[in-house]
Amino acid sequence: MIASFYGRQIDLATMRRRFTPSFRGAPLSSLIKIADQIGLLPRAVKLPLEALANLALPAILHWNMNHYVVIERVSGEKALIHDPAGRSEWLRMSEISEHFTGVALELRPNETFEKKTERTVLGWSQLWTRINGLGSSFLQVVVLSVVLQVYVLALPYFLQIGIDNALPALDHDLLSVLALGFGLFTLFNASASFLRSFVILAAGSALGFGIASNIARKLFRLPLDWFQKREVGDILSRFQSVEPIQKMLSEGVAGTLVDGLLALTTLAIMFFYSAKLALVALTAFVLYLVVRLLSFSFERRAREGAIIAHGKEQTALIETIRGIQTFRLYNRETMRHAMWQTLLTDAVNANIRASRVGIWQATGNALLFGLENILTIYLAIGFVMDGGFSVGMVFAYLAYKGQFLEKAGNLVDQGMAFMMLRLHLERLADIALEDDDRSFGASSVAVTELKGRIELKGVSYRYSSTDPPVLSDIDLVVDPGEHVAITGPSGTGKSTLLKVMLGLFEPQSGDVLVDGMALRQFGYKSFHNQIAAVLQDDNLFAGSIADNITLFAEQADPVAIAEAAKASAIHDEIMKMPMQYETLVGDMGSSLSGGQKQRVLLARALYRKPKMLFLDEGTSHMDAANEDRVNQSIRSLGITRIVVAHRQETIASADRILYMDGSGLQAISQPSEAGNQEPAECSGALTQAKI
């Protein structure tokens, strides 16, 4: 916000790509580092509420102990606050006092600051790539719409002829001919309307499916940490921005072109009838356009706030449904309902703010066009009295005027809707313009067989550019067929280390080598095709046990499924179930116990017949007997195994044990010493590395 205020137009999506955000939040020191890198001179201050007007504005305020807002102006006892959560408003100092923590950050341009535009805009054409038939459908809609508008233009003239010619002469034959002709015209018009509706339906469905498919494909290819730094409701709300775009493109574009053409045509006819009357209608339309333009910024902010508020409410609802067991156990349903209700209230209030803008617009339009209609009727009847107009001409002109204001109003509304689509495009840009996960890049060397050796050289990793390192200069070698256990206190980076080795996280520095080759050169897809893993946050999906073991493979091997289940010590239990391998696991595996879910996940990993197996607490929910059976089955495979564990039984079965804590990664000389969690001197292929 502040960079844009000083002339460096940069959007949020660009900032996110350049400065990787942390899902753990951003301390003030992080904002200071980011500000310095974009050419802003930061100055953090602590001040009382009454000194806000003395800040170099705009400035950043620390808000509610967990948030930041921008203060733009102070006027008397009020200040204009812009909340990145989606709302801008003038607040009284008494209201600000309830949120402001007393810490602010002043930002001014320094000597390196450049005024330029760095907005990454999502283009329309990027949404419908590889969607065929849209051009011909669009042309059909335009042609059929023109046919419909011809009928609309001809109908007032029928009214004029009937009133001015047939009625005074009491000519029933002329009236019958007119009725018959326009009746046939109406039938033709209805047929065109019928065909147009089906064309729009087909084109809109194809366009909506194509856009949604393209965005979903991009979404499914994004890096893992992209998902970890966003709420589920926010992601869904961004994806749902496809719907208004699809509707506008399939129905609005053709309608806008035809409405614009019809508005110009009817305006020309109106000037033919009377320039004076036409200028009255044209003036009313221009004033309507001014009202819409002036209120657009308020409408856009209100709609954006509503979208964001609904995203937060949906996230809370999804989390509550997922975690209902916990809330039930701790008798916290009422508390959770109250929390969700607060978010729902915010969403409803956001909708009300958006509706208020619409009410003001509708009231202004009703007043404006009501006065215009009175003035038009007054002048038109005066023209009849003066002999310049016939009664039929008055009726015809009023019909044309109504069509002009309707179509011109629709044209403005569609124009505003197109401008509003920028909001949805900006939200979709966070998905569509993000770089694909590096695993989708082409490998420079085609590797067909993995031997099972993995090596880390000077690997460092941090969650964001401003966070402290989680891993620092890690060196490690695991030989083919070796069984290595990594243990140590929780929160020291063991799971993160495993994900770096799997290629799910990209280290900030250092290399991960597979069979002596850099992982990016070996090929992430090739590597992932030959390994398997059971991680702490793995899930089962709605479907059968067999579906989950094969991960919904199209051509599943029943024999291999049973072998994998036997190796993970779950086969006998499955065979006792009424539907055996076709037993449904429920939502996220809700019908299975913790130990059963873990063994099905392990069966999923073993079904792949991997060359390397990574386990992050992969047997923590198993009893000792089942864990021993699983360890014996896996040991017989002779594959490389890297296990993160805390349980003594799991650690003791390893060939080599590594101990990881806040001071380094070290080797424990004998497996029996693992229970004491005391590191010995580092030896062999492992060297000490600071975390």
Side-chain angles (χ1 to χ4, degrees), residues 545-546 549 557-575 581 596 599-607 622 626 629-630 633:
I545 292 177
I549 292 177
D557 183 351
V559 176
I561 292 174
E563 290 177 352
K566 290 175 181 177
S568 60
I570 189 68
H571 173 76
D572 292 341
E573 294 177 41
I574 294 174
M575 296 306 293
Y581 282 94
Q596 288 175 328
R599 280 177 284 161
V600 171
L601 290 171
L602 185 59
R604 174 194 295 173
L606 297 178
Y607 177 80
M622 298 183 195
N626 276 324
R629 290 171 58 193
V630 168
S633 298

Side-chain angles (χ1 to χ4, degrees), residues 383-401:
F383 290 162
V384 173
M385 291 179 177
D386 295 338
F389 254 40
S390 67
V391 176
M393 290 177 66
V394 172
F395 279 98
Y397 175 81
L398 291 177
Y400 282 124
K401 190 257 305 184

Side-chain angles (χ1 to χ4, degrees), residues 265-276:
T265 305
T266 51
L267 183 62
I269 295 174
M270 289 163 58
F271 270 99
F272 175 77
Y273 275 81
S274 170
K276 190 173 183 179

Side-chain angles (χ1 to χ4, degrees), residues 79-95:
L80 179 58
I81 302 295
H82 300 288
D83 192 335
R87 188 176 180 185
S88 299
E89 58 183 335
W90 285 90
L91 296 178
R92 296 183 179 277
M93 288 298 173
S94 57
E95 296 176 281

Side-chain angles (χ1 to χ4, degrees), residues 124-172:
W124 296 104
S125 60
Q126 294 174 265
L127 294 176
W128 58 71
T129 54
R130 292 183 291 276
I131 303 177
N132 299 321
L134 291 182
S136 59
S137 297
F138 176 77
L139 182 61
Q140 292 172 19
V141 171
V142 170
V143 171
L144 292 170
S145 298
V146 170
V147 171
L148 295 177
Q149 303 313 324
V150 170
Y151 172 78
V152 173
L153 288 174
L155 196 58
Y157 189 63
F158 165 69
L159 184 63
Q160 179 183 340
I161 294 175
I163 293 175
D164 287 346
N165 297 337
L167 183 61
L170 301 177
D171 190 340
H172 291 280

Side-chain angles (χ1 to χ4, degrees), residues 134-424:
L134 291 182
S136 59
S137 297
F138 176 77
L139 182 61
Q140 292 172 19
V141 171
V142 170
V143 171
L144 292 170
S145 298
V146 170
V147 171
L148 295 177
Q149 303 313 324
V150 170
Y151 172 78
V152 173
L153 288 174
L155 196 58
Y157 189 63
F158 165 69
L159 184 63
Q160 179 183 340
I161 294 175
I163 293 175
D164 287 346
N165 297 337
L167 183 61
L170 301 177
D171 190 340
H172 291 280
D173 292 336
L174 175 60
L175 186 61
S176 299
V177 170
L178 289 173
L180 179 61
F182 278 92
L184 293 174
F185 201 178
T186 301
L187 181 61
F188 186 66
N189 176 74
S191 301
S193 177
F194 177 80
L195 293 174
R196 179 177 179 267
S197 298
F198 270 95
V199 172
I200 289 177
L201 177 63
S205 300
L207 182 65
F209 177 82
I211 292 176
S213 179
N214 286 342
I215 294 296
R217 179 178 183 273
K218 181 67 176 181
L219 179 66
F220 296 161
R221 295 163 68 95
L222 294 181
L224 183 63
D225 60 356
W226 186 93
F227 295 92
Q228 295 182 335
K229 295 170 183 176
R230 288 161 178 81
E231 296 176 338
V232 175
D234 179 59
I235 296 175
L236 290 177
S237 71
R238 291 180 187 277
F239 189 80
Q240 288 164 358
S241 289
V242 168
E243 184 177 348
I245 293 175
Q246 172 261 323
K247 185 176 181 181
M248 178 59 65
L249 292 179
S250 62
E251 301 178 18
V253 174
T256 300
L257 293 176
V258 175
D259 284 343
L261 179 62
L262 183 64
L264 291 175
T265 305
T266 51
L267 183 62
I269 295 174
M270 289 163 58
F271 270 99
F272 175 77
Y273 275 81
S274 170
K276 190 173 183 179
L277 291 176
L279 285 174
V280 173
L282 185 60
T283 301
F285 166 70
V286 171
L287 291 175
Y288 171 71
L289 176 61
V290 171
V291 169
R292 290 303 307 269
L293 289 174
L294 290 177
S295 62
F296 176 75
S297 60
F298 299 100
E299 184 180 2
R300 187 186 191 280
R301 284 199 297 268
R303 289 187 181 278
E304 184 175 17
I307 291 173
I308 293 173
H310 276 284
K312 292 181 179 296
E313 179 265 328
Q314 286 293 300
T315 295
L317 184 60
I318 292 169
E319 288 180 344
T320 302
I321 293 172
R322 292 289 187 209
I324 191 64
Q325 176 177 287
T326 302
F327 295 116
R328 181 64 45 76
L329 178 63
Y330 288 92
N331 293 327
R332 303 294 284 175
E333 301 96 337
T334 303
M335 176 277 300
R336 188 67 179 182
H337 177 261
M339 187 275 287
W340 170 81
Q341 204 168 25
T342 300
L343 294 175
L344 179 63
T345 302
D346 292 340
V348 171
N349 288 338
N351 281 339
I352 291 174
R353 286 190 291 271
S355 298
R356 282 175 181 168
V357 177
I359 291 172
W360 279 106
Q361 289 174 345
T363 303
N365 296 342
L367 179 63
L368 182 64
F369 290 123
L371 294 174
E372 178 275 332
N373 200 40
I374 292 172
L375 181 58
T376 298
I377 293 174
Y378 172 80
L379 293 174
I381 293 176
F383 290 162
V384 173
M385 291 179 177
D386 295 338
F389 254 40
S390 67
V391 176
M393 290 177 66
V394 172
F395 279 98
Y397 175 81
L398 291 177
Y400 282 124
K401 190 257 305 184
Q403 290 173 10
F404 166 72
L405 292 179
E406 178 189 354
K407 300 305 180 184
N410 288 343
L411 184 63
V412 172
D413 292 341
Q414 294 289 355
M416 294 298 107
F418 272 113
M419 293 172 63
M420 193 65 69
L421 287 187
R422 299 306 313 174
L423 168 63
H424 296 288

